[in-house]
Amino acid sequence: MNKKILVALLCAGSAGGALAQSNVNVYGLMDLGLASVSGASAGSSDFKGNNTKMQSGTMAGSRLGFRGTEELGNGLSAIFTLESGILADTGASDQGGLLFGRQAFVGIKSDTLGTITLGRQYGPEYLAWKLLDPMEDGFAGAGSNLFSTNGKRVNNTVKYTTPTFSGVTADVLYGLGEVVDNNAASRDIGASLTYAQGPLTVRVGYNSLNNPTASDKSTNYVVGGSYDFQVVKAIAIYGSNKGTGSTDNRDILLGASIPFGASTVLASYIRKDDKSIANKDANQFALTYTYALSKRSAVYASAARISNKNGATYHTYSASLPTADQKGAAGGTREFNVGLRHTF
């Protein structure tokens, strides 16, 4: 009888040890608020695009995720992430209705050699500017209102991330186009280099996306940095975008993050300089205030205005593309939003 008890205890101990090597976390974020959008009429008296609506994911995209690791020994771990975007105002799935539209990947991580992951993942060039943008590509004045988002999330990818050496980290991504008899069609290639040491952060990013026949491609470059003076973090980003056809433009962002106590003020200015013959330029001014109620909950208020020139149709975060009867939309849009974000 004593032997049976001893064997049972040993088995329980072994099972506990095995379980300790694996870890799965459930996490999420809910962000919901109100957005008021109006058209900058630019002289037109018949703009019909004013709208007040409930908006999900204004500060950060609402989501539900599962993240896991399993220790394999010798500094190796198996990892995975499944992250579903949620439209909290309706309960529907975000990212066009995909079940795990935000992220879905699996990989191997080595403490000394880096990490290889496969699946649907963020592109390095997108993260290079998104992680510097004072608005973090959210709020009324999200950077993606004007910055290119080619390579934001890429399907069918292999991604390698180096370990960090003296503050330097590199990422390389290859996205298979999966077009029969044409490996170059719809292929996506991205890379980034990050230096982060003390108050200084510098990021460089590249993305190249072939069209579905590999007869043309879009190419995006970005370089930016931030310096934290403690009382204010200063931010600057420059982007170059050469798209399919005659698309050719430049982006410049100047911004700041000013923390004080539980409050933070965010400000940014973005200029879109169109190098094509059409010269469809745009400017965006944005200002945001956030207040941390706790480590997991925050309230925010945000305002932004986009001014378009020569028929450009850029718009603020919660606005929609102008329709035929919205003549004033050629002037741009204005937006104000307030909301609450809670993480768990």
Side-chain angles (χ1 to χ4, degrees), residues 8-245:
L9 289 173
L10 288 173
C11 290
S14 298
L19 291 173
Q21 302 304 309
S22 299
N23 182 33
V24 177
N25 293 319
V26 180
Y27 63 94
L29 183 154
M30 291 292 283
D31 183 324
L32 202 56
L34 295 175
S36 176
V37 183
S38 59
S41 63
S44 172
S45 60
D46 57 351
F47 180 72
K48 301 177 182 179
N50 295 346
N51 190 16
T52 299
K53 57 184 178 179
M54 187 166 288
Q55 181 72 42
S56 175
T58 302
M59 181 177 183
S62 299
R63 69 200 71 170
L64 176 64
F66 305 87
R67 184 182 293 122
T69 63
E70 181 188 15
E71 300 296 334
L72 303 175
N74 299 317
L76 293 176
S77 302
I79 61 174
F80 81 89
T81 293
L82 290 170
E83 192 171 276
S84 177
I86 300 169
L87 296 174
D89 53 332
T90 64
S93 294
D94 203 353
Q95 290 79 49
L98 295 176
L99 178 59
F100 294 107
R102 290 185 61 87
Q103 299 183 86
F105 63 83
V106 65
I108 296 291
K109 180 179 180 180
S110 166
D111 294 340
T112 56
L113 299 178
T115 303
I116 294 179
T117 47
L118 299 88
R120 177 175 168 85
Q121 307 176 71
Y122 285 104
E125 187 269 345
Y126 170 73
L127 290 178
W129 67 257
K130 187 262 188 187
L131 296 176
L132 288 171
D133 177 12
M135 308 296 167
E136 295 190 38
D137 198 23
F139 302 112
S144 58
N145 295 343
L146 293 179
F147 271 73
S148 169
T149 55
N150 286 331
K152 178 177 181 177
R153 295 184 180 94
V154 188
N155 293 330
N156 310 310
T157 62
V158 180
K159 184 176 182 180
Y160 170 67
T161 302
T162 68
T164 300
F165 299 106
S166 301
V168 177
T169 309
D171 290 281
V172 180
L173 175 144
Y174 184 91
L176 286 76
E178 297 194 347
V179 176
V180 177
D181 294 328
N182 191 343
N183 290 332
S186 299
R187 180 178 62 197
D188 198 306
I189 298 174
S192 70
L193 189 67
T194 300
Y195 173 80
Q197 198 84 304
L200 177 65
T201 298
V202 178
R203 298 181 184 272
V204 179
Y206 164 82
N207 193 80
S208 175
L209 174 62
N210 290 347
N211 70 359
T213 60
S215 59
D216 202 352
K217 67 178 180 179
S218 60
T219 305
N220 308 94
Y221 301 89
V222 67
V223 57
S226 65
Y227 194 91
D228 193 348
F229 294 95
Q230 301 302 315
V231 293
V232 60
K233 179 187 287 185
I235 300 159
I237 309 171
Y238 172 81
S240 174
N241 314 292
K242 293 186 177 181
T244 55

Side-chain angles (χ1 to χ4, degrees), residues 27-31 60 294-298 341-344:
Y27 63 94
L29 183 154
M30 291 292 283
D31 183 324
S294 68
K295 290 183 178 180
R296 296 190 297 156
S297 299
R341 184 217 64 192
H342 175 73
T343 62
F344 59 92

